[in-house]
Amino acid sequence: MGTESKRQQRFAGVIQQDLAELFQREGNSWAPGAFITVTRVRVTPDLAIARVYLSFLNTKTAKDDLAHIQSKTTEIRYKLGTRIKNQARIVPQLEFFLDDTNEYVEHMDKLFEEISKEPRQPD
């Protein structure tokens, strides 16, 4: 995907902010006990599809929680539509993805820790 236009970035920002508020208020019913963060939103050039990246904290079942949220996409899209109806002509289709950046960072930290604990070999 190429660089996003200002219009795409602005629209993605609006969606990200409104979805973040929506997940903060109602996310517990979709993923009990999990803290859901909308880390990034990418919008297609025609603004018809929004790819939403979610990060889950305080849960061991992030993939299951994501699957449950994906099953509630139409409900979430409707609620988003009621929020952005004055800012957008159409409410984009939502596609949810797991943002595993935090897991990757933790994994890399563990690797670096192990490397630093290994005894150095003489030159």
Side-chain angles (χ1 to χ4, degrees), residues 41-83:
V41 175
R42 298 268 188 223
V43 182
T44 56
D46 62 355
L47 308 180
I49 300 172
R51 293 179 178 91
V52 182
Y53 294 85
L54 302 175
S55 175
F56 294 86
L57 301 172
N58 298 337
T59 183
K60 298 289 183 199
T61 59
K63 289 185 175 147
D64 294 338
D65 292 341
L66 178 67
H68 191 253
I69 286 172
Q70 287 171 333
S71 71
K72 299 286 186 183
T73 300
T74 52
E75 177 187 344
I76 296 168
R77 183 174 181 240
Y78 174 78
K79 290 181 179 189
L80 176 66
T82 60
R83 292 170 158 264

Side-chain angles (χ1 to χ4, degrees), residues 2-123:
T3 58
E4 292 182 328
S5 69
K6 293 278 188 208
R7 181 172 173 234
Q8 284 173 273
Q9 291 172 357
R10 193 168 44 249
F11 191 56
V14 167
I15 291 172
Q16 183 172 356
Q17 184 176 1
D18 286 331
L19 280 178
E21 289 175 12
L22 193 61
F23 280 119
Q24 187 176 10
R25 288 203 181 110
E26 301 183 35
N28 210 25
S29 64
W30 298 317
F35 182 74
I36 305 168
T37 306
V38 181
T39 56
R40 182 174 54 206
V41 175
R42 298 268 188 223
V43 182
T44 56
D46 62 355
L47 308 180
I49 300 172
R51 293 179 178 91
V52 182
Y53 294 85
L54 302 175
S55 175
F56 294 86
L57 301 172
N58 298 337
T59 183
K60 298 289 183 199
T61 59
K63 289 185 175 147
D64 294 338
D65 292 341
L66 178 67
H68 191 253
I69 286 172
Q70 287 171 333
S71 71
K72 299 286 186 183
T73 300
T74 52
E75 177 187 344
I76 296 168
R77 183 174 181 240
Y78 174 78
K79 290 181 179 189
L80 176 66
T82 60
R83 292 170 158 264
I84 66 169
K85 64 185 175 200
N86 297 328
Q87 299 163 315
R89 280 187 288 157
I90 61 163
V91 179
Q93 292 291 327
L94 300 175
E95 296 176 354
F96 293 103
F97 298 95
L98 185 62
D99 184 359
D100 55 359
T101 306
N102 289 340
E103 293 171 18
Y104 180 75
V105 168
E106 287 176 17
H107 176 71
M108 294 304 290
D109 283 344
K110 285 179 185 174
L111 288 177
F112 286 128
E113 226 173 88
E114 288 175 20
I115 291 171
S116 66
K117 288 180 182 176
E118 289 180 6
R120 293 183 176 243
Q121 295 179 355
D123 291 335

